[in-house]
Amino acid sequence: MTKTDKLTAPLSVLPVYQPDLSGNEKKYVNECLETSWISSLGGFIDRFERAFERETGAKHAHSVSNGTVALHLAYHCLDIGPGDEVIVPTFTYISSVNTIAQTGATPIFVECRSDDWLIDVEDVARKITPRTKAIVPVHLYGAVCDMDALMALAHERNLKVVEDCAEALGSTLNGQHVGTFGDIGTFSFFGNKTVTTGEGGMVTAHDPALAARLKIVKGQGQSPTRRYWHIELGYNYRMTNICAAIGLAQIERLDAILARKRAIGALYRELTADMSLEFQTLRPGVTSSDWLVSLLLPHGVDRDAVMARMSSAGVETRPVFFCAHQMPMYAKNEHFPVSEDIAARGISLPSYPGLSDSDVARVVDELRSAIAGQ
Ligand SMILES: *Cc1c(COP(=O)(O)O)cnc(C)c1O
C-alpha cells in the first residue's frame, strides 16, 4: 500500500454494538430448520429458559418475544391497571414507562442519583401515594440500583417491585443477580444487549403461582391442561424456538462475553483517567455487566459536536436516553435536574465483545481529540 492509498483508504467503522455469534448459533438454528421446529414450540425454548435460570439464580424464567412485552406482562400479572400509580425513573429507556401507560396505570416519575444514575430511593419515598402499586428500578448500563433500601421501602409500604434488567444480564449486588430481588425481573435480548436472540426477552419470578400466571398470560391465557380453553385474558408474547436456539448458544458463552466486556470497560476507564470524564460510580457490592460503557462529558462541552467529530473519524457513539418526563405524551412541566443533566451530557462508547484493545485505544484517541477540537 502506498502512502496515498493509505490516506484515501476508507476508515473501518467501529459501531456502538455488534453481536458475537461465533458459537453454536448457526448449528442450533440449522437444527430448528432441519427439524421444522421454527415456531414457539420446540426443545430450545426449555433449554434456554433452564440455562437462564442457572445463570441468574432465578427460580422461574419464561421467555417472551421482547423486553418491552416482558415489562407489560409483568405489570399485567401484578394486576396493575387504571387508577394505579407506578413509580419509575424518568431517566430510562422509554419502554419501562410506555408499558405502564399501556396497562391504563399512571407512570409517576422520580429522580435518579448523580453517582450511579439510577433510581433515587429517597425520591421514591416522597412520591408514594395511596394509589401507588409498584416501583420499577431500572438497572441502567449494567449498574445495580440500591436494592436493599428499595426492597425495605417496598415491604414497609406493601408495594410490588418489577426490576427492569434489560441492560444488566450478568450484573450482581453482593453476588445476587439482578431480577431476583423484586417480584418480577424482566430482560431483553435485542441485538445490542449482552445476550441477543435478535428480538427477545425473559421474565423471572420466585413465587410459583405468579410464575405460572406469567406463563399462561404470555400464551393467550390458555389453560395449561386443556388446549383452546382460555382461563383469563392473555397475549401472544411467546418467543420462537429459533430465537431460543440463538439464545442458548449465546448463554453458553455468557461468562466469556461478560469477561471481555468488563475488560473493555476497565480499559476505557484506565485510558481516560486524565480526562475529567464522569463514569457511573458503582455502589459497594455491585459488579456491573458493563453493558454499554457510558460517561458524562465535562460541563460546557458540546455533546453533539463531539459525537459528530468522532463519527467522521469512524467511531460511532450514541447519546444516553432522554428523560421520559420531557417526551410529548408525558410532559407535565416537571423538572428533574440530576436526570436532565445526565441526559444532556452522557454518551455511550463502542462496547461489544469483539473490540480489540487497540480499537478501544482508537476510540479514546478520537474522543480526546474531539473534545480538544471544541
Ligand atoms: C432494551 C431495553 C428495553 C426493551 O427491550 P426490547 O427487547 O428492545 O423491547 C427495556 N428497558 C430497557 C432499560 C432497555 O434498555
Side-chain angles (χ1 to χ4, degrees):
M1 202 193 254
T2 67
K3 205 171 176 191
T4 355
D5 283 335
K6 207 168 179 182
L7 284 172
T8 53
L11 278 169
S12 68
V13 173
L14 296 177
V16 172
Y17 220 85
Q18 193 164 280
D20 170 356
L21 304 172
S22 61
N24 285 323
E25 285 83 352
K26 217 179 242 175
K27 179 175 165 229
Y28 292 168
V29 168
N30 275 332
E31 242 177 271
C32 296
L33 296 173
E34 281 155 15
T35 58
S36 83
W37 289 100
I38 58 170
S39 198
S40 56
L41 294 174
F44 286 112
I45 303 272
D46 190 58
R47 287 170 70 187
F48 181 38
E49 290 174 348
R50 303 300 76 79
F52 196 87
E53 287 166 356
R54 277 195 299 278
E55 285 298 334
T56 58
K59 281 253 162 48
H60 306 278
H62 295 304
S63 56
V64 291
S65 38
N66 60 63
T68 303
V69 301
L71 285 159
H72 183 252
L73 181 66
Y75 301 144
H76 177 90
C77 290
L78 293 172
D79 296 317
I80 289 165
D84 296 330
E85 294 177 352
V86 177
I87 295 178
V88 63
T90 180
F91 181 61
T92 184
Y93 182 56
I94 199 66
S95 31
S96 343
V97 180
N98 280 346
T99 44
I100 296 170
Q102 285 160 9
T103 67
T106 305
I108 302 294
F109 296 120
V110 289
E111 186 61 290
C112 65
R113 298 172 53 92
S114 59
D115 50 5
D116 63 12
W117 315 353
L118 303 179
I119 193 164
D120 181 340
V121 180
E122 284 173 23
D123 200 29
V124 173
R126 284 191 285 272
K127 299 281 169 65
I128 294 172
T129 75
R131 288 173 174 250
T132 308
K133 198 86 183 256
I135 311 170
V136 185
V138 185
H139 306 296
L140 283 180
Y141 302 108
V144 180
C145 302
D146 184 357
M147 294 311 292
D148 295 334
L150 196 109
M151 291 313 297
L153 180 65
H155 285 141
E156 186 191 314
R157 308 297 296 266
N158 197 23
L159 301 173
K160 301 294 184 188
V161 173
V162 175
E163 297 178 68
D164 183 343
C165 310
E167 304 182 2
L169 178 60
S171 296
T172 56
L173 171 61
N174 299 324
Q176 185 177 343
H177 200 284
V178 295
T180 64
F181 295 87
D183 297 276
I184 299 179
T186 68
F187 294 81
S188 164
F189 308 124
F190 184 65
N192 64 10
K193 298 289 162 67
T194 300
V195 155
T196 185
T197 61
E199 294 271 5
M202 195 75 81
V203 289
T204 58
H206 38 83
D207 178 65
L210 180 57
R213 186 163 180 219
L214 289 163
K215 187 172 181 181
I216 289 168
V217 173
K218 83 158 189 183
Q220 308 280 28
Q222 179 173 268
S223 158
T225 53
R226 193 176 180 196
R227 277 181 86 196
Y228 301 111
W229 185 252
H230 302 272
I231 53 179
E232 67 167 307
L233 174 72
Y235 301 89
N236 177 1
Y237 283 172
R238 296 180 302 248
M239 175 179 273
T240 67
N241 200 44
I242 298 179
C243 289
I246 299 172
L248 178 65
Q250 289 265 292
I251 213 152
E252 287 171 349
R253 296 199 325 286
L254 180 60
D255 288 349
I257 292 171
L258 286 170
R260 182 61 198 148
K261 287 172 71 66
R262 288 178 180 136
I264 289 167
L267 187 57
Y268 272 129
R269 285 183 281 270
E270 182 193 321
L271 296 178
T272 58
D274 61 332
M275 289 174 67
S276 52
L277 304 170
E278 294 167 60
F279 291 88
Q280 272 178 308
T281 310
L282 304 179
R283 62 180 38 262
V286 170
T287 303
S288 171
S289 63
D290 274 322
W291 171 57
L292 282 190
V293 180
S294 302
L295 54 89
L296 307 185
L297 296 172
H299 286 279
V301 169
D302 180 340
R303 176 176 68 180
D304 291 347
V306 167
M307 292 176 60
R309 271 172 214 265
M310 292 180 74
S311 168
S312 61
V315 177
E316 280 184 14
T317 58
R318 56 175 242 192
V320 298
F321 302 116
F322 293 102
C323 292
H325 75 273
Q326 295 177 319
M327 304 288 171
M329 61 285 197
Y330 300 119
K332 284 189 298 198
N333 209 20
E334 292 179 287
H335 287 290
F336 297 90
V338 177
S339 300
E340 288 167 27
D341 177 52
I342 291 169
R345 291 195 290 133
I347 63 170
S348 302
L349 303 177
S351 304
Y352 52 96
L355 280 175
S356 67
D357 286 4
S358 63
D359 292 333
V360 172
R362 180 178 152 206
V363 173
V364 173
D365 286 346
E366 295 302 345
L367 175 62
R368 198 182 287 275
S369 50
I371 295 174
Q374 282 282 296

